[in-house]
Amino acid sequence: MEQLASDGDTPAHAHQERFGALAIGAIGVVFGDIGTSPLYSLKESFIGHHKLALDPAHIYGVLSLIFWTMTSIVTIKYVALILRADNRGEGGSLALLALITRKMGDTRWRVAITLTGVIATALFYGDAIITPAVSVLSAVEGLTTVEAGFTPLVLPVTVAILVALFAIQARGTASVGKLFGPVMLVYFAVIAVLGVSGILAAPEILWALNPWYAVKFFTLDPMLAFLALGSVVLAVTGAEALYADMGHFGRRAIMVSWLYIAFPCLMLNYLGQSAAILRNPAMIENPFFLMAPEWGRLPLVILATMATVIASQAVISGAFSVSQQAVQLGFLPRLRILHTSAKAAGQIYVPLVNWGLLVMVVLLALGFRSSSNLASAYGIAVTGTMFITACMLGVLTFAVWKWHPLLAGLVTGIFLLIDGAYFASNLTKIPDGGWFPLLVAAVAFILLTTWSRGRRLVLARLQEGAMPIALFIRSAAQSAARVKGTAVFLTSTPDSIPPALLHNLKHNKVLHERIVLLTVAIEQVPHVQGKECTSMEALGDGFFRVVLHYGFMDEVDVPMALAAIQDCGAPFRPMETSYFLARQTLLPSSRPGMAIWREKLFAWMVRNAESAMEFFKLPTNRVVELGSQLEI
């Protein structure tokens, strides 16, 4: 259906829940990914693919880099700046893209800005595959610190947990979600206590918070320090979730949860791990679990596994939400989207995405076999997304927020330098597994852009032979026989007669008493409410033009929307209303537009798209489909 632009902003969502409940919920959902980073990030910095010496200079240097990376990227960039860029309360790459394009209108930069947003979305899918695999594997590997004989069980247990996690998605996350916050609060409290115990044994580790130690690390060994950035950035994986989940919890709840709970607990744990390594370098094999006393390691493994399941759940839910946004904004074909909660509109289940992720995640775990190997693949998608977000932040500060050019240039330049350095460091991981998220992102990018371009081509081809509405009414309305009832013709072309109406008149020789030309318009805002939802125009002779406006986070229900219309002749009665849909069989051709292979891919996507009848909630016994062929 057509995608139209919307003017003006409305206030962000009014969060009805108590602030405390929102803050606790944010701890569970928003910070699950970044909260489980201590399981592997510090270890990978020293014994990953670019090993570092376990001496005070390197330990202090890496720890200082972790602290200032979390401060600059998460606290300043995301919490202080990016969270201000809300699209009527919603966040995320596509929401940010919609906000920028709506504010800027049609400019020469629109295509470039759109491409950057699509690339960020494609990279997210790569991240969504790796996060569950590396998180759960790193937690289950803690079993080897309890008993070395458990090593052969790590992979089977990991796969079993992953399969169970994806299998329960169809049931919804409402009940499980209530446990997220409390479990993560316990998890953060435990890792903070473990960290404090380590600090008390070597309090001199606190000096590492001085940025001079990060600078000294680079002066000591510039190349190793640059390569270490690829592992250090693992400490902030999941930072993009702060922005993506803003619509669920609000900026204030996320900010408070980060500044007063997540950030302090994480840093205490990193300080404790570093202090433990400083005292006993052998603990680098798994400092997160070895910090705990022997009697507490098995409970810690269980708690950490629960935390990684929560982190995985958050990214899976994010993949569902991003897919829904992509469908509504015209970057993916219609998908089967099931709502798993009668109260929470944001809780959805997308079967195709769910099972596709499961297959890829299990193959990834079986292929890489350890969290250390997976860590080599981890980071490129995250840093790529962060770098693109920094680019879009530049557009925001210059063109949308209208900051002073010097200030906007300074802020943008700083973050482009920081994010660019981390992204460049992660590019060195490509031969060791970093190719995987880039491959996933490339496939996703091709699918997203092919569908978007194909839709525009189809609309253009339909317009070529379209008949103006006024001409059709003058020529056909008086001559054709009229029958009782209402016919609703769904069309993507608002200014011309839909092909289904022409075919119906050609073959059946009749017109209904009332004919509604209906367009479902997806706006560049998350939600459309009130009077903005419907626009109606009487065209004469029983013809009406109706446009239903939805946000890209709204659920489309055409019969419900029509039932609410009062000024379109008589009320819409379900048993007297028929819905006519056009189904085009696309024929790839040599006409300019797309490469033949992309045209064939687009045609395949059209054939496998969810039925328009189900997507628009049309009654099955009142739908008529009329087919035709169309060259693209």
Side-chain angles (χ1 to χ4, degrees), residues 535-558:
S535 59
M536 194 277 297
E537 178 186 2
L539 304 174
D541 289 313
F543 283 76
F544 295 87
R545 181 87 183 96
V546 175
V547 180
L548 301 179
H549 302 268
Y550 290 91
F552 57 77
M553 294 293 289
D554 289 330
E555 179 182 4
V556 179
D557 190 328
V558 168

Side-chain angles (χ1 to χ4, degrees), residues 12-23 247-250 253 343 529:
H13 298 158
H15 295 285
Q16 302 296 328
E17 298 179 66
R18 291 181 294 110
F19 175 75
L22 287 171
H248 296 140
F249 301 99
K343 298 179 180 178
Q529 297 174 339

Side-chain angles (χ1 to χ4, degrees), residues 50 93 97 103 176 213 224 304 390 399 465 601 609:
H50 305 290
S93 296
L97 171 63
K103 291 288 188 178
V176 182
Y213 287 99
L224 266 182
L601 174 61

